[in-house]
Amino acid sequence: MLSLVVILFSLIVASVIITTIVTELQQPVRAQVKSLSTPMLQEFVVPSGSQPHDVAPAPDGTIWYTAQGSGQLGRLDPSTGKTHNIALGQGSAPHGVIVGPDGAPWITDGGLNAIVRVDPVTEKVQVFPLPQNSSYANLNTATFDNSGVMWFTGQSGIYGRFDPSVGKVEVFKAPGGSGPYGIATTPKGSIYYASLAGNHIAHIDSKTRNASMIQPPTDNQGARRIWSDSQGRLWVSEWNAGKMALYNPTTSKWQEWRLPGTSPMPYAIYVDDKNMVWLSDFGANARVRLHPTKEKFDVFPLPSAGANVRQILGRSGEIWGAESGVDKLVVIRTV
């Protein structure tokens, strides 16, 4: 009997020792993963029917998003997961949203055919309609130049300008007709847009306000979104071609890469503060990252099928997207 007790006691001690060793071995593994800054993905549910199209992280921690399906601007608090929606007006169908130099969200609203500003504190809505002689523009996205002037696109074949200090909206016919979609500002303040239907990108001269077309090497590529890196080079998502392109304005040279997978459909594109290039791929239902110097892709599958991320924006350590197909927002944390 005594020997049986001794054996049982020995087994218990051995079990405790083994458990302690395993626990101690697991702790460094967790620390190692954290030190490698493996991206962590998280989704946030927004109200049903929102159909979030674009998303814009604000410096105060707020995440703004356009609820295109309900005609509202959404406000997410990532720390709690709670959302709050702001009605933009009868007939609103907001497409793009960005945070302006004044810290407020600015919206390109296709339904209202207007530029909209929402005060981040009072939530007061200001609507700046396109000129009365303007037809339906199918407003898309916007960017601010280094002078605080907004430039925007409309797929019906226009690009435009809005100076908040004056309150005047100007509209110009785009060369090449319909298609202007994504738009971006380089660090030096140059403005470029991508034309989806026109299969080109274009540079806007902020002084003359004229736009000059620039042709990518692949025909009918479907240049959809565009973003600048810290060097002023332009990265373009080519929707029809399944490629990502790089245009260097200094040398006028192009490079292209086909995304991984059998049927890539790159939609959104964004360059983070570390010059990593991020895309959304409808074909793979994934977020894709390119390391420019290594020319290596990393693919991050999205947990929700049919997510349809139409736009990406970020802030340090966070890459946000709007999952229009499933009424969710998604963030990849890189730190």
Side-chain angles (χ1 to χ4, degrees), residues 200-263:
H200 63 263
I201 67 171
H203 172 244
I204 301 174
D205 187 314
S206 59
K207 293 182 179 179
T208 67
R209 301 171 191 178
N210 294 327
S212 302
M213 294 189 297
I214 305 167
Q215 298 292 341
T218 299
D219 293 335
N220 301 314
Q221 79 296 131
R224 187 154 215 151
R225 297 259 192 188
I226 187 168
W227 204 263
S228 173
D229 62 21
S230 64
Q231 301 174 49
R233 301 180 302 173
L234 286 309
W235 296 84
V236 184
S237 59
E238 297 182 337
W239 172 255
N240 297 338
K243 298 178 181 179
M244 176 186 61
L246 170 63
Y247 174 69
N248 189 333
T250 303
T251 63
S252 299
K253 290 184 178 180
W254 286 89
Q255 289 178 267
E256 289 181 318
W257 296 262
R258 183 174 173 83
L259 270 65
T262 57
S263 56

Side-chain angles (χ1 to χ4, degrees), residues 252-332:
S252 299
K253 290 184 178 180
W254 286 89
Q255 289 178 267
E256 289 181 318
W257 296 262
R258 183 174 173 83
L259 270 65
T262 57
S263 56
M265 301 172 68
Y267 198 115
I269 194 163
Y270 169 73
V271 183
D272 68 19
D273 56 359
K274 296 180 181 178
N275 276 328
M276 296 293 179
V277 186
W278 295 85
L279 302 102
S280 63
D281 182 355
F282 275 36
N285 194 48
R287 297 276 284 275
V288 180
R289 179 179 63 184
L290 173 73
H291 193 298
T293 56
K294 296 180 180 179
E295 298 189 17
K296 176 186 175 183
F297 286 105
D298 297 311
V299 179
F300 305 95
L302 296 169
S304 297
N308 295 351
V309 175
R310 299 180 184 274
Q311 185 257 1
I312 302 172
L313 268 181
R315 55 191 174 202
S316 184
E318 297 180 353
I319 313 298
W320 285 85
E323 296 183 330
S324 62
V326 292
D327 286 331
K328 295 178 181 178
L329 304 184
V330 61
V331 61
I332 292 182

